[in-house]
Amino acid sequence: MTDRDQDSELAALEKALLDESADPADLPFTLLKSITGNFSEAHEIGRGGFGVVYKGVLPSGCTIAVKKLHETFEILDKNFKSEVACLVGVKHKNTVRFLGYCSETQQLMVPLHGNLVWASVRHRLLCFEYLPKGCLADYLSVDASCPLQWITSYQIIKGICEGVYYLHQQQIIHMDLKPQNVLLDDNMMPKIADFGLSRRLSESQSWDITKNNFGTM
């Protein structure tokens, strides 16, 4: 990627961050690798069953969240495509803003049984707005340093309900709604996140049967 290309991709990402009407950007792996410090532990802000979330810092100083999916063959593409399909077009004050994605496959030399072999290494990443207050679960434990006041709790409950109602109007079933997947902004407004297990039903469909149990029981 040339410097001009990277500047163009950065501009698209910043536009998605600052303009809520902008479409999610198609982003190169090298750019996301750069803004997360090569996915360093110092940038890690969360970890789940399907991936790790890193803080990405843009040259302008703006911060985003970058979710790097695990490279498990059985789940990677299925969950990536499902999450992107659910996130594209979802715009509500109580759902996390989807800024961009990366879907690349590289041919790299990797060690295998003491030898170096060529392998296809897939990169599947998702970018979201960065929410500094963390997740709702951090405020619900008995030893939470900042317990919630009732008025704040009510606003969070109301916001989650409005977010879920909006998703259901879009024919989207979240499938893994829990305190860890509700993020909070500076004003403690809740935003539903992590759509890796979500399903978008067809227009004529009002229910579905879950055959495989994933997520949190």
Side-chain angles (χ1 to χ4, degrees), residues 64-108:
I64 67 170
V66 180
K67 179 180 178 182
K68 186 175 188 287
L69 297 185
H70 295 314
E71 296 177 18
T72 304
F73 182 83
E74 293 81 3
I75 66 172
L76 180 61
D77 280 330
K78 179 180 179 181
N79 284 278
F80 177 79
K81 292 176 181 177
S82 172
E83 191 157 2
V84 171
C86 287
L87 287 168
V88 170
V90 170
K91 296 182 186 296
H92 189 270
K93 63 184 177 69
N94 296 119
T95 61
V96 67
R97 284 184 57 211
F98 179 43
L99 305 177
Y101 59 91
C102 170
S103 177
E104 291 185 12
T105 301
Q106 292 180 311
Q107 295 296 320
L108 300 175

Side-chain angles (χ1 to χ4, degrees), residues 20 24 39 53 88 97 119 128 136 140 142 158 194 205 214:
E20 295 189 11
F39 306 104
V53 182
V88 170
R97 284 184 57 211
F128 304 93
L136 179 58
L140 300 182
V142 293
K158 183 173 181 289
D194 200 340
Q205 190 177 8
F214 296 104

Side-chain angles (χ1 to χ4, degrees), residues 94-186:
N94 296 119
T95 61
V96 67
R97 284 184 57 211
F98 179 43
L99 305 177
Y101 59 91
C102 170
S103 177
E104 291 185 12
T105 301
Q106 292 180 311
Q107 295 296 320
L108 300 175
M109 292 288 288
V110 298
L112 179 66
H113 305 310
N115 299 311
L116 289 175
V117 299
W118 284 102
S120 296
V121 179
R122 297 176 302 164
H123 304 298
R124 304 291 185 266
L125 304 98
L126 302 163
C127 297
F128 304 93
E129 62 179 321
Y130 174 69
L131 297 166
K133 294 294 186 180
C135 69
L136 179 58
D138 296 336
Y139 298 85
L140 300 182
S141 63
V142 293
D143 58 348
S145 58
C146 297
L148 298 172
Q149 300 297 316
W150 165 241
I151 185 63
T152 303
S153 298
Y154 170 75
Q155 291 172 347
I156 292 173
I157 293 168
K158 183 173 181 289
I160 294 171
C161 290
E162 290 177 354
V164 171
Y165 177 66
Y166 167 81
L167 292 174
H168 288 180
Q169 287 182 310
Q170 306 301 311
Q171 298 292 100
I172 295 173
I173 311 299
H174 188 277
M175 302 292 288
D176 196 20
L177 188 61
K178 58 184 179 181
Q180 289 83 354
N181 289 339
V182 176
L183 304 181
L184 301 165
D185 70 5
D186 278 322

Side-chain angles (χ1 to χ4, degrees), residues 18-74:
L18 300 174
D19 180 2
E20 295 189 11
S21 66
D23 292 328
D26 181 6
L27 302 167
F29 179 72
T30 53
L31 173 59
L32 301 182
K33 182 179 178 180
S34 173
I35 66 174
T36 58
N38 194 17
F39 306 104
S40 68
E41 290 186 5
H43 282 252
E44 185 176 324
I45 56 177
R47 183 176 290 267
F50 295 111
V52 182
V53 182
Y54 299 88
K55 181 187 292 185
V57 182
L58 306 184
S60 64
C62 294
T63 304
I64 67 170
V66 180
K67 179 180 178 182
K68 186 175 188 287
L69 297 185
H70 295 314
E71 296 177 18
T72 304
F73 182 83
E74 293 81 3

